[in-house]
């Protein structure tokens, strides 16, 4: 069975890495893979570093579809990926997550009558203003094999009429990467320069359009955070989308350290040793849950409710007023402890490959 794996953006690289390692470890003579990088994220800091740090082999092809509007990028990926599939026929296209590449490549595969597998299927924010939710819905509406991170995600798919034998609750590949790399995290080079001390700083990441596209809104959030952290440093590895907006605002604050996006090993070193993470990322709420680090999410909803019901995450919403009371709870030592969701045990990719192997044997 020929499997074409798709990776396009930062969170994809972290999810695809363990799947590739598990395919290699499985060593089946009946299965081989081809890795397609769509080029959605393309620079050293958002792409290359992850290939190096996570031992992902060089992609077989890079479609170089970076930049552009949502529609331009979707169209560019679809055109390039159709050519790729015609030149390199495959039996299964495996997509991960919820980025533009996930949706664009699934559509192309399905229209060429190729089966589609979706890793991280079934999660829902029910917020149609998020491009990611549209990507999830479109992808899951044409997926053939659904790999889920939680029972809740599987239930969502069943409710949508998906046959049970197409749904595989395997766990979380992002956590596979976290657990396999946890003993290799790297203290960032600026640790001493900034005089950082374990549990005495915050990590902040923001990149959702609802938080960062409006300068005034972004500045209000940053003000509210930096004014209520009792002068502890706030480390802000800045996403390219946010950097563009923040540059225009000229915002600065002595507590806020704006830094380039970090490599995976440096970023998660910072997270593991932080007092708390403030974020609007989805993946980071999963990682903080597993590492037991308090996490505040600046969103009105989440497609990962398990990080709140079981984990260390709380949804604060997008109103800056919610930040101060949450920080008070944290500083009073009253943040919840949390536990780890079922099957987030580092073996999700292995389970996925076992399913793929069965498919290969039945071809
Ligand atoms: N991440 C990283 N460096 C950074 C910020 C994030 O390595 O400077 C990692 C983080 O550990 C997580 C992933 O990137 O695995 C999350 O990506 P992002 O927030 O872009 O996507 P989302 O999870 O919101 O889809």
């Amino acid at each position: 069975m020929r499997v074409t794996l798709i990776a396009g953006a930062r969170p994809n690289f972290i999810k695809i890495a363990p799947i590739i390692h598990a395919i290699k470890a499985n060593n089946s003579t009946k299965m081989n893979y081809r890795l397609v990088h769509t080029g959605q994220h393309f620079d050293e800091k958002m792409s290359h570093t992850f290939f190096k740090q996570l031992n992902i082999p060089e992609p077989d092809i890079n479609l170089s579809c970076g930049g552009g509007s949502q529609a331009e990028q979707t169209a560019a990926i679809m055109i390039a990926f159709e050519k790729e599939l015609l030149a390199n026929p495959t039996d299964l296209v495996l997509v991960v997550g919820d980025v533009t590449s996930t949706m664009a490549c699934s559509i192309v595969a399905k229209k060429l009558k190729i089966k589609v597998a979706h890793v991280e299927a079934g999660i829902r924010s029910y917020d149609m203003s998020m491009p990611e939710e549209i990507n999830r819905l479109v992808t899951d509406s044409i997926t053939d094999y659904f790999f889920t991170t939680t029972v809740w995600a599987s239930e969502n798919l069943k409710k949508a009429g998906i046959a049970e034998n197409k749904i595989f609750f395997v766990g979380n590949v992002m956590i596979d990467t976290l657990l396999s790399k946890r003993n290799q995290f790297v203290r960032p080079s600026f640790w001493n320069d900034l005089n950082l001390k374990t549990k005495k700083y915050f990590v902040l990441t923001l990149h959702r359009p609802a938080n960062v596209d409006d300068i005034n809104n972004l500045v209000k959030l940053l003000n509210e955070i930096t004014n209520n952290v009792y002068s502890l440093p706030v480390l802000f590895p800045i996403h390219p989308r946010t950097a563009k907006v923040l540059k225009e605002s000229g915002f600065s604050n002595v507590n806020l350290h704006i830094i380039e996006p970090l490599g995976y090993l440096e970023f998660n070193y910072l997270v593991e040793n932080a007092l708390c993470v403030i974020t609007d990322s989805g993946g980071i709420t999963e990682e903080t849950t597993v590492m037991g680090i308090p996490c505040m999410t600046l969103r009105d909803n989440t497609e990962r409710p398990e990080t709140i019901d079981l984990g260390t995450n709380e949804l604060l919403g997008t109103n800056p007023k919610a930040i101060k009371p949450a920080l008070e709870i944290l500083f009073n030592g009253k943040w919840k402890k949390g536990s780890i969701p079922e099957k987030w045990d580092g073996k999700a990719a292995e389970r996925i490959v076992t399913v793929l192997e069965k498919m290969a044997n039945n071809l």
Side-chain angles (χ1 to χ4, degrees), residues 10-11 14-15 41 45-46 50 53 98-99 120 132 174 178 205 207-208 237-239 260-265 267-268 271 279-285 287 299 303-304:
R10 178 169 67 186
I14 295 150
K15 291 167 195 168
H41 281 166
K45 301 229 152 45
M46 296 298 284
F50 294 89
Q53 291 195 338
D98 54 19
V99 301
E120 206 185 84
E132 293 88 347
M174 198 163 221
L178 186 77
T205 82
H207 70 281
R208 302 264 166 237
I238 196 159
H239 193 279
E260 299 264 302
L262 293 169
Y264 183 81
L265 301 177
F267 180 74
N268 281 291
V271 169
T279 190
D280 59 9
S281 157
I284 293 170
T285 65
E287 293 163 343
R299 285 177 50 192
E303 60 291 332
R304 293 163 164 91

mmCIF file of all heavy atoms in Angstrom, residues 10-11 14-15 41 45-46 50 53 98-99 120 132 174 178 205 207-208 237-239 260-265 267-268 271 279-285 287 299 303-304, ligand 1:
data_model
loop_
_atom_site.group_PDB
_atom_site.id
_atom_site.type_symbol
_atom_site.label_atom_id
_atom_site.label_comp_id
_atom_site.label_asym_id
_atom_site.label_seq_id
_atom_site.Cartn_x
_atom_site.Cartn_y
_atom_site.Cartn_z
ATOM 1 N N ARG A 10 3.352 24.302 10.892
ATOM 2 C CA ARG A 10 4.066 23.902 12.115
ATOM 3 C C ARG A 10 3.409 22.753 12.902
ATOM 4 O O ARG A 10 4.069 21.741 13.155
ATOM 5 C CB ARG A 10 4.285 25.123 13.003
ATOM 6 C CG ARG A 10 4.978 24.793 14.316
ATOM 7 C CD ARG A 10 5.411 26.041 15.054
ATOM 8 N NE ARG A 10 4.284 26.810 15.519
ATOM 9 C CZ ARG A 10 4.383 28.021 16.104
ATOM 10 N NH1 ARG A 10 5.566 28.567 16.287
ATOM 11 N NH2 ARG A 10 3.308 28.662 16.510
ATOM 12 N N PRO A 11 2.128 22.885 13.282
ATOM 13 C CA PRO A 11 1.577 21.782 14.086
ATOM 14 C C PRO A 11 1.536 20.456 13.336
ATOM 15 O O PRO A 11 1.610 19.385 13.951
ATOM 16 C CB PRO A 11 0.165 22.266 14.453
ATOM 17 C CG PRO A 11 -0.121 23.428 13.567
ATOM 18 C CD PRO A 11 1.184 24.011 13.144
ATOM 19 N N ILE A 14 4.765 18.353 13.821
ATOM 20 C CA ILE A 14 4.841 17.687 15.131
ATOM 21 C C ILE A 14 3.962 16.428 15.139
ATOM 22 O O ILE A 14 4.267 15.444 15.800
ATOM 23 C CB ILE A 14 4.441 18.717 16.209
ATOM 24 C CG1 ILE A 14 5.495 19.835 16.208
ATOM 25 C CG2 ILE A 14 4.318 18.091 17.584
ATOM 26 C CD1 ILE A 14 4.999 21.186 16.601
ATOM 27 N N LYS A 15 2.869 16.469 14.352
ATOM 28 C CA LYS A 15 1.948 15.323 14.319
ATOM 29 C C LYS A 15 2.408 14.236 13.336
ATOM 30 O O LYS A 15 2.143 13.053 13.547
ATOM 31 C CB LYS A 15 0.540 15.808 13.926
ATOM 32 C CG LYS A 15 -0.102 16.657 15.008
ATOM 33 C CD LYS A 15 -1.347 17.408 14.530
ATOM 34 C CE LYS A 15 -1.702 18.490 15.544
ATOM 35 N NZ LYS A 15 -2.706 19.449 15.068
ATOM 36 N N HIS A 41 3.846 26.566 5.616
ATOM 37 C CA HIS A 41 4.889 27.238 6.411
ATOM 38 C C HIS A 41 6.213 26.845 5.774
ATOM 39 O O HIS A 41 6.436 25.681 5.479
ATOM 40 C CB HIS A 41 4.862 26.788 7.879
ATOM 41 C CG HIS A 41 3.780 27.466 8.685
ATOM 42 N ND1 HIS A 41 3.396 27.020 9.924
ATOM 43 C CD2 HIS A 41 3.021 28.555 8.418
ATOM 44 C CE1 HIS A 41 2.430 27.825 10.397
ATOM 45 N NE2 HIS A 41 2.185 28.739 9.496
ATOM 46 N N LYS A 45 12.345 28.982 10.856
ATOM 47 C CA LYS A 45 11.780 28.950 12.213
ATOM 48 C C LYS A 45 10.427 28.240 12.307
ATOM 49 O O LYS A 45 10.047 27.773 13.371
ATOM 50 C CB LYS A 45 11.642 30.378 12.750
ATOM 51 C CG LYS A 45 12.972 31.113 12.795
ATOM 52 C CD LYS A 45 13.179 31.763 14.130
ATOM 53 C CE LYS A 45 14.604 31.923 14.544
ATOM 54 N NZ LYS A 45 15.522 32.418 13.543
ATOM 55 N N MET A 46 9.676 28.209 11.214
ATOM 56 C CA MET A 46 8.348 27.591 11.260
ATOM 57 C C MET A 46 8.345 26.206 10.604
ATOM 58 O O MET A 46 7.358 25.486 10.685
ATOM 59 C CB MET A 46 7.315 28.480 10.548
ATOM 60 C CG MET A 46 7.088 29.827 11.181
ATOM 61 S SD MET A 46 6.446 29.746 12.886
ATOM 62 C CE MET A 46 4.729 29.323 12.591
ATOM 63 N N PHE A 50 11.859 22.075 12.652
ATOM 64 C CA PHE A 50 11.076 20.932 13.128
ATOM 65 C C PHE A 50 11.516 19.643 12.440
ATOM 66 O O PHE A 50 11.547 18.582 13.058
ATOM 67 C CB PHE A 50 9.575 21.217 12.947
ATOM 68 C CG PHE A 50 9.131 22.344 13.822
ATOM 69 C CD1 PHE A 50 9.195 23.654 13.386
ATOM 70 C CD2 PHE A 50 8.765 22.104 15.131
ATOM 71 C CE1 PHE A 50 8.862 24.712 14.220
ATOM 72 C CE2 PHE A 50 8.430 23.149 15.986
ATOM 73 C CZ PHE A 50 8.472 24.453 15.519
ATOM 74 N N GLN A 53 14.849 18.850 14.306
ATOM 75 C CA GLN A 53 14.734 18.451 15.723
ATOM 76 C C GLN A 53 13.911 17.178 15.903
ATOM 77 O O GLN A 53 14.128 16.441 16.855
ATOM 78 C CB GLN A 53 14.098 19.586 16.528
ATOM 79 C CG GLN A 53 14.999 20.801 16.652
ATOM 80 C CD GLN A 53 14.541 21.762 17.737
ATOM 81 O OE1 GLN A 53 13.373 21.773 18.127
ATOM 82 N NE2 GLN A 53 15.455 22.594 18.210
ATOM 83 N N ASP A 98 -5.777 20.388 11.149
ATOM 84 C CA ASP A 98 -6.886 21.218 10.684
ATOM 85 C C ASP A 98 -6.439 22.436 9.889
ATOM 86 O O ASP A 98 -7.096 23.471 9.900
ATOM 87 C CB ASP A 98 -7.722 21.660 11.894
ATOM 88 C CG ASP A 98 -6.863 22.347 12.956
ATOM 89 O OD1 ASP A 98 -5.749 22.792 12.638
ATOM 90 O OD2 ASP A 98 -7.321 22.427 14.120
ATOM 91 N N VAL A 99 -5.281 22.351 9.245
ATOM 92 C CA VAL A 99 -4.795 23.527 8.518
ATOM 93 C C VAL A 99 -5.299 23.505 7.076
ATOM 94 O O VAL A 99 -5.937 22.542 6.644
ATOM 95 C CB VAL A 99 -3.243 23.634 8.591
ATOM 96 C CG1 VAL A 99 -2.787 23.725 10.042
ATOM 97 C CG2 VAL A 99 -2.567 22.471 7.885
ATOM 98 N N GLU A 120 -6.613 13.096 13.885
ATOM 99 C CA GLU A 120 -7.182 14.172 14.706
ATOM 100 C C GLU A 120 -8.573 14.530 14.162
ATOM 101 O O GLU A 120 -8.997 15.679 14.168
ATOM 102 C CB GLU A 120 -6.280 15.412 14.714
ATOM 103 C CG GLU A 120 -6.418 16.286 15.944
ATOM 104 C CD GLU A 120 -5.585 17.561 15.839
ATOM 105 O OE1 GLU A 120 -6.049 18.547 15.242
ATOM 106 O OE2 GLU A 120 -4.440 17.537 16.358
ATOM 107 N N GLU A 132 -9.979 26.990 10.878
ATOM 108 C CA GLU A 132 -9.674 25.588 11.231
ATOM 109 C C GLU A 132 -10.937 24.741 11.343
ATOM 110 O O GLU A 132 -10.921 23.558 11.010
ATOM 111 C CB GLU A 132 -8.916 25.516 12.561
ATOM 112 C CG GLU A 132 -7.520 26.097 12.550
ATOM 113 C CD GLU A 132 -7.494 27.592 12.858
ATOM 114 O OE1 GLU A 132 -8.571 28.239 12.838
ATOM 115 O OE2 GLU A 132 -6.393 28.125 13.091
ATOM 116 N N MET A 174 0.362 14.219 18.752
ATOM 117 C CA MET A 174 1.153 15.360 19.234
ATOM 118 C C MET A 174 1.815 15.002 20.578
ATOM 119 O O MET A 174 2.941 15.411 20.865
ATOM 120 C CB MET A 174 0.240 16.561 19.404
ATOM 121 C CG MET A 174 0.995 17.856 19.466
ATOM 122 S SD MET A 174 -0.109 19.230 19.173
ATOM 123 C CE MET A 174 0.894 20.256 18.135
ATOM 124 N N LEU A 178 5.698 14.718 22.082
ATOM 125 C CA LEU A 178 6.066 15.341 23.361
ATOM 126 C C LEU A 178 6.777 14.336 24.273
ATOM 127 O O LEU A 178 7.843 14.610 24.822
ATOM 128 C CB LEU A 178 4.816 15.881 24.062
ATOM 129 C CG LEU A 178 5.080 16.671 25.324
ATOM 130 C CD1 LEU A 178 5.569 18.078 24.979
ATOM 131 C CD2 LEU A 178 3.837 16.765 26.196
ATOM 132 N N THR A 205 1.609 32.661 23.809
ATOM 133 C CA THR A 205 1.558 32.539 22.340
ATOM 134 C C THR A 205 0.175 32.977 21.870
ATOM 135 O O THR A 205 -0.837 32.641 22.492
ATOM 136 C CB THR A 205 1.820 31.104 21.799
ATOM 137 O OG1 THR A 205 0.616 30.324 21.883
ATOM 138 C CG2 THR A 205 2.953 30.396 22.504
ATOM 139 N N HIS A 207 -1.938 33.607 18.049
ATOM 140 C CA HIS A 207 -1.923 33.726 16.585
ATOM 141 C C HIS A 207 -3.310 33.639 15.943
ATOM 142 O O HIS A 207 -3.438 33.721 14.736
ATOM 143 C CB HIS A 207 -0.994 32.680 15.962
ATOM 144 C CG HIS A 207 -1.500 31.267 16.055
ATOM 145 N ND1 HIS A 207 -1.404 30.526 17.198
ATOM 146 C CD2 HIS A 207 -2.093 30.469 15.156
ATOM 147 C CE1 HIS A 207 -1.915 29.328 16.999
ATOM 148 N NE2 HIS A 207 -2.353 29.264 15.767
ATOM 149 N N ARG A 208 -4.372 33.463 16.745
ATOM 150 C CA ARG A 208 -5.713 33.367 16.143
ATOM 151 C C ARG A 208 -6.162 34.742 15.661
ATOM 152 O O ARG A 208 -6.006 35.740 16.387
ATOM 153 C CB ARG A 208 -6.736 32.874 17.169
ATOM 154 C CG ARG A 208 -6.399 31.549 17.763
ATOM 155 C CD ARG A 208 -7.105 30.392 17.052
ATOM 156 N NE ARG A 208 -6.482 29.168 17.462
ATOM 157 C CZ ARG A 208 -5.925 28.259 16.659
ATOM 158 N NH1 ARG A 208 -5.924 28.428 15.359
ATOM 159 N NH2 ARG A 208 -5.379 27.167 17.124
ATOM 160 N N PRO A 237 7.142 34.053 22.222
ATOM 161 C CA PRO A 237 7.648 33.665 20.903
ATOM 162 C C PRO A 237 6.565 33.986 19.879
ATOM 163 O O PRO A 237 5.474 33.444 19.946
ATOM 164 C CB PRO A 237 7.855 32.145 21.021
ATOM 165 C CG PRO A 237 7.517 31.776 22.428
ATOM 166 C CD PRO A 237 6.747 32.894 23.032
ATOM 167 N N ILE A 238 6.904 34.859 18.986
ATOM 168 C CA ILE A 238 5.820 35.481 18.212
ATOM 169 C C ILE A 238 5.629 34.827 16.844
ATOM 170 O O ILE A 238 6.577 34.648 16.074
ATOM 171 C CB ILE A 238 6.047 37.014 18.138
ATOM 172 C CG1 ILE A 238 4.778 37.718 17.690
ATOM 173 C CG2 ILE A 238 7.229 37.384 17.274
ATOM 174 C CD1 ILE A 238 4.756 39.201 18.073
ATOM 175 N N HIS A 239 4.394 34.456 16.576
ATOM 176 C CA HIS A 239 3.986 33.860 15.304
ATOM 177 C C HIS A 239 4.097 34.941 14.219
ATOM 178 O O HIS A 239 3.810 36.106 14.483
ATOM 179 C CB HIS A 239 2.521 33.409 15.460
ATOM 180 C CG HIS A 239 2.019 32.504 14.393
ATOM 181 N ND1 HIS A 239 1.580 32.977 13.176
ATOM 182 C CD2 HIS A 239 1.853 31.160 14.350
ATOM 183 C CE1 HIS A 239 1.167 31.948 12.437
ATOM 184 N NE2 HIS A 239 1.331 30.838 13.124
ATOM 185 N N GLU A 260 11.624 35.452 18.616
ATOM 186 C CA GLU A 260 11.288 34.716 17.389
ATOM 187 C C GLU A 260 10.607 33.397 17.763
ATOM 188 O O GLU A 260 10.822 32.891 18.871
ATOM 189 C CB GLU A 260 12.583 34.357 16.653
ATOM 190 C CG GLU A 260 13.408 35.539 16.237
ATOM 191 C CD GLU A 260 13.126 35.907 14.804
ATOM 192 O OE1 GLU A 260 13.307 35.051 13.929
ATOM 193 O OE2 GLU A 260 12.695 37.056 14.588
ATOM 194 N N PRO A 261 9.825 32.806 16.826
ATOM 195 C CA PRO A 261 9.282 31.467 17.117
ATOM 196 C C PRO A 261 10.435 30.536 17.473
ATOM 197 O O PRO A 261 11.509 30.612 16.878
ATOM 198 C CB PRO A 261 8.645 31.042 15.792
ATOM 199 C CG PRO A 261 8.447 32.292 15.011
ATOM 200 C CD PRO A 261 9.484 33.273 15.481
ATOM 201 N N LEU A 262 10.200 29.677 18.458
ATOM 202 C CA LEU A 262 11.282 28.807 18.945
ATOM 203 C C LEU A 262 11.196 27.429 18.316
ATOM 204 O O LEU A 262 10.111 26.983 17.902
ATOM 205 C CB LEU A 262 11.170 28.659 20.462
ATOM 206 C CG LEU A 262 11.435 29.925 21.267
ATOM 207 C CD1 LEU A 262 11.021 29.715 22.722
ATOM 208 C CD2 LEU A 262 12.910 30.304 21.188
ATOM 209 N N GLY A 263 12.338 26.739 18.314
ATOM 210 C CA GLY A 263 12.331 25.333 17.940
ATOM 211 C C GLY A 263 11.498 24.556 18.951
ATOM 212 O O GLY A 263 11.251 25.038 20.063
ATOM 213 N N TYR A 264 11.080 23.351 18.568
ATOM 214 C CA TYR A 264 10.218 22.538 19.428
ATOM 215 C C TYR A 264 10.877 22.241 20.772
ATOM 216 O O TYR A 264 10.239 22.337 21.820
ATOM 217 C CB TYR A 264 9.899 21.232 18.697
ATOM 218 C CG TYR A 264 8.963 20.333 19.462
ATOM 219 C CD1 TYR A 264 7.595 20.555 19.450
ATOM 220 C CD2 TYR A 264 9.450 19.262 20.204
ATOM 221 C CE1 TYR A 264 6.729 19.740 20.170
ATOM 222 C CE2 TYR A 264 8.595 18.444 20.924
ATOM 223 C CZ TYR A 264 7.239 18.691 20.898
ATOM 224 O OH TYR A 264 6.389 17.888 21.615
ATOM 225 N N LEU A 265 12.165 21.912 20.735
ATOM 226 C CA LEU A 265 12.844 21.487 21.972
ATOM 227 C C LEU A 265 13.036 22.652 22.931
ATOM 228 O O LEU A 265 12.895 22.493 24.142
ATOM 229 C CB LEU A 265 14.198 20.846 21.640
ATOM 230 C CG LEU A 265 14.134 19.618 20.724
ATOM 231 C CD1 LEU A 265 15.536 19.100 20.406
ATOM 232 C CD2 LEU A 265 13.292 18.506 21.362
ATOM 233 N N PHE A 267 11.120 25.477 22.869
ATOM 234 C CA PHE A 267 9.797 25.957 23.280
ATOM 235 C C PHE A 267 9.257 25.112 24.431
ATOM 236 O O PHE A 267 8.780 25.635 25.442
ATOM 237 C CB PHE A 267 8.822 25.938 22.099
ATOM 238 C CG PHE A 267 7.453 26.429 22.477
ATOM 239 C CD1 PHE A 267 7.223 27.779 22.681
ATOM 240 C CD2 PHE A 267 6.396 25.551 22.658
ATOM 241 C CE1 PHE A 267 5.972 28.248 23.067
ATOM 242 C CE2 PHE A 267 5.146 26.006 23.045
ATOM 243 C CZ PHE A 267 4.931 27.361 23.248
ATOM 244 N N ASN A 268 9.356 23.809 24.295
ATOM 245 C CA ASN A 268 8.756 22.958 25.329
ATOM 246 C C ASN A 268 9.596 22.900 26.603
ATOM 247 O O ASN A 268 9.062 22.616 27.674
ATOM 248 C CB ASN A 268 8.403 21.585 24.769
ATOM 249 C CG ASN A 268 7.105 21.697 23.976
ATOM 250 O OD1 ASN A 268 6.042 21.910 24.555
ATOM 251 N ND2 ASN A 268 7.202 21.638 22.659
ATOM 252 N N VAL A 271 8.077 25.834 28.291
ATOM 253 C CA VAL A 271 6.735 25.511 28.800
ATOM 254 C C VAL A 271 6.842 24.653 30.062
ATOM 255 O O VAL A 271 6.198 24.926 31.071
ATOM 256 C CB VAL A 271 5.892 24.792 27.715
ATOM 257 C CG1 VAL A 271 4.612 24.227 28.313
ATOM 258 C CG2 VAL A 271 5.577 25.752 26.572
ATOM 259 N N THR A 279 -2.303 31.319 26.100
ATOM 260 C CA THR A 279 -2.223 30.953 24.690
ATOM 261 C C THR A 279 -3.585 31.013 24.005
ATOM 262 O O THR A 279 -4.620 31.075 24.682
ATOM 263 C CB THR A 279 -1.638 29.513 24.578
ATOM 264 O OG1 THR A 279 -1.332 29.237 23.208
ATOM 265 C CG2 THR A 279 -2.608 28.454 25.081
ATOM 266 N N ASP A 280 -3.572 30.991 22.674
ATOM 267 C CA ASP A 280 -4.809 30.719 21.944
ATOM 268 C C ASP A 280 -4.589 29.540 20.993
ATOM 269 O O ASP A 280 -5.361 29.304 20.083
ATOM 270 C CB ASP A 280 -5.317 31.959 21.193
ATOM 271 C CG ASP A 280 -4.319 32.499 20.180
ATOM 272 O OD1 ASP A 280 -3.292 31.845 19.921
ATOM 273 O OD2 ASP A 280 -4.578 33.588 19.639
ATOM 274 N N SER A 281 -3.501 28.807 21.214
ATOM 275 C CA SER A 281 -3.186 27.628 20.402
ATOM 276 C C SER A 281 -4.016 26.443 20.883
ATOM 277 O O SER A 281 -4.413 26.377 22.049
ATOM 278 C CB SER A 281 -1.700 27.315 20.569
ATOM 279 O OG SER A 281 -1.422 25.963 20.268
ATOM 280 N N GLY A 282 -4.262 25.500 19.996
ATOM 281 C CA GLY A 282 -4.936 24.276 20.403
ATOM 282 C C GLY A 282 -3.935 23.256 20.930
ATOM 283 O O GLY A 282 -4.068 22.730 22.044
ATOM 284 N N GLY A 283 -2.882 23.029 20.132
ATOM 285 C CA GLY A 283 -1.904 21.997 20.472
ATOM 286 C C GLY A 283 -1.240 22.248 21.815
ATOM 287 O O GLY A 283 -0.979 21.318 22.581
ATOM 288 N N ILE A 284 -0.982 23.513 22.113
ATOM 289 C CA ILE A 284 -0.268 23.833 23.354
ATOM 290 C C ILE A 284 -1.118 23.483 24.580
ATOM 291 O O ILE A 284 -0.591 23.085 25.622
ATOM 292 C CB ILE A 284 0.186 25.314 23.335
ATOM 293 C CG1 ILE A 284 1.255 25.489 22.243
ATOM 294 C CG2 ILE A 284 0.738 25.761 24.694
ATOM 295 C CD1 ILE A 284 1.632 26.918 21.935
ATOM 296 N N THR A 285 -2.445 23.565 24.456
ATOM 297 C CA THR A 285 -3.299 23.193 25.596
ATOM 298 C C THR A 285 -3.200 21.688 25.876
ATOM 299 O O THR A 285 -3.379 21.248 27.014
ATOM 300 C CB THR A 285 -4.783 23.572 25.366
ATOM 301 O OG1 THR A 285 -5.299 22.813 24.277
ATOM 302 C CG2 THR A 285 -4.943 25.041 25.073
ATOM 303 N N GLU A 287 -0.364 19.917 25.258
ATOM 304 C CA GLU A 287 0.981 19.704 25.830
ATOM 305 C C GLU A 287 1.037 20.144 27.293
ATOM 306 O O GLU A 287 1.625 19.455 28.133
ATOM 307 C CB GLU A 287 2.018 20.451 24.979
ATOM 308 C CG GLU A 287 2.150 19.834 23.589
ATOM 309 C CD GLU A 287 2.826 20.710 22.552
ATOM 310 O OE1 GLU A 287 2.933 21.933 22.757
ATOM 311 O OE2 GLU A 287 3.213 20.187 21.504
ATOM 312 N N ARG A 299 -9.641 32.208 24.308
ATOM 313 C CA ARG A 299 -10.614 31.927 23.240
ATOM 314 C C ARG A 299 -11.975 31.732 23.891
ATOM 315 O O ARG A 299 -12.057 31.409 25.084
ATOM 316 C CB ARG A 299 -10.221 30.635 22.491
ATOM 317 C CG ARG A 299 -9.055 30.812 21.548
ATOM 318 C CD ARG A 299 -8.665 29.491 20.906
ATOM 319 N NE ARG A 299 -9.813 28.798 20.336
ATOM 320 C CZ ARG A 299 -9.790 27.536 19.919
ATOM 321 N NH1 ARG A 299 -8.681 26.836 19.989
ATOM 322 N NH2 ARG A 299 -10.868 26.975 19.417
ATOM 323 N N GLU A 303 -11.965 23.200 20.684
ATOM 324 C CA GLU A 303 -12.267 21.896 20.072
ATOM 325 C C GLU A 303 -11.616 20.783 20.890
ATOM 326 O O GLU A 303 -11.665 19.622 20.513
ATOM 327 C CB GLU A 303 -11.788 21.871 18.611
ATOM 328 C CG GLU A 303 -10.288 22.089 18.401
ATOM 329 C CD GLU A 303 -9.853 23.516 18.735
ATOM 330 O OE1 GLU A 303 -10.676 24.435 18.617
ATOM 331 O OE2 GLU A 303 -8.681 23.692 19.141
ATOM 332 N N ARG A 304 -10.980 21.174 21.996
ATOM 333 C CA ARG A 304 -10.278 20.203 22.849
ATOM 334 C C ARG A 304 -10.790 20.296 24.291
ATOM 335 O O ARG A 304 -10.038 20.637 25.220
ATOM 336 C CB ARG A 304 -8.767 20.477 22.798
ATOM 337 C CG ARG A 304 -8.170 20.181 21.412
ATOM 338 C CD ARG A 304 -6.813 20.851 21.270
ATOM 339 N NE ARG A 304 -6.035 20.342 20.166
ATOM 340 C CZ ARG A 304 -6.060 20.853 18.939
ATOM 341 N NH1 ARG A 304 -6.845 21.867 18.635
ATOM 342 N NH2 ARG A 304 -5.305 20.321 17.984
HETATM 343 N N1 LIG B 1 5.580 25.511 19.115
HETATM 344 C C1 LIG B 1 6.957 25.561 18.932
HETATM 345 N N2 LIG B 1 7.571 26.782 18.979
HETATM 346 C C2 LIG B 1 6.909 27.944 19.247
HETATM 347 C C3 LIG B 1 5.497 27.866 19.453
HETATM 348 C C4 LIG B 1 4.876 26.639 19.367
HETATM 349 O O1 LIG B 1 7.611 24.532 18.729
HETATM 350 O O2 LIG B 1 7.530 29.011 19.287
HETATM 351 C C5 LIG B 1 4.905 24.181 19.006
HETATM 352 C C6 LIG B 1 4.099 23.767 20.222
HETATM 353 O O3 LIG B 1 4.886 23.038 21.135
HETATM 354 C C7 LIG B 1 2.995 22.917 19.595
HETATM 355 C C8 LIG B 1 2.784 23.544 18.240
HETATM 356 O O4 LIG B 1 3.949 24.311 17.964
HETATM 357 O O5 LIG B 1 3.456 21.590 19.416
HETATM 358 C C9 LIG B 1 1.542 24.394 18.216
HETATM 359 O O6 LIG B 1 1.483 25.076 17.045
HETATM 360 P P1 LIG B 1 0.458 26.277 16.796
HETATM 361 O O7 LIG B 1 0.168 26.959 18.076
HETATM 362 O O8 LIG B 1 1.009 27.060 15.665
HETATM 363 O O9 LIG B 1 -0.815 25.519 16.219
HETATM 364 P P2 LIG B 1 -2.183 25.017 16.835
HETATM 365 O O10 LIG B 1 -1.866 23.960 17.829
HETATM 366 O O11 LIG B 1 -2.886 26.187 17.411
HETATM 367 O O12 LIG B 1 -2.900 24.451 15.652
#
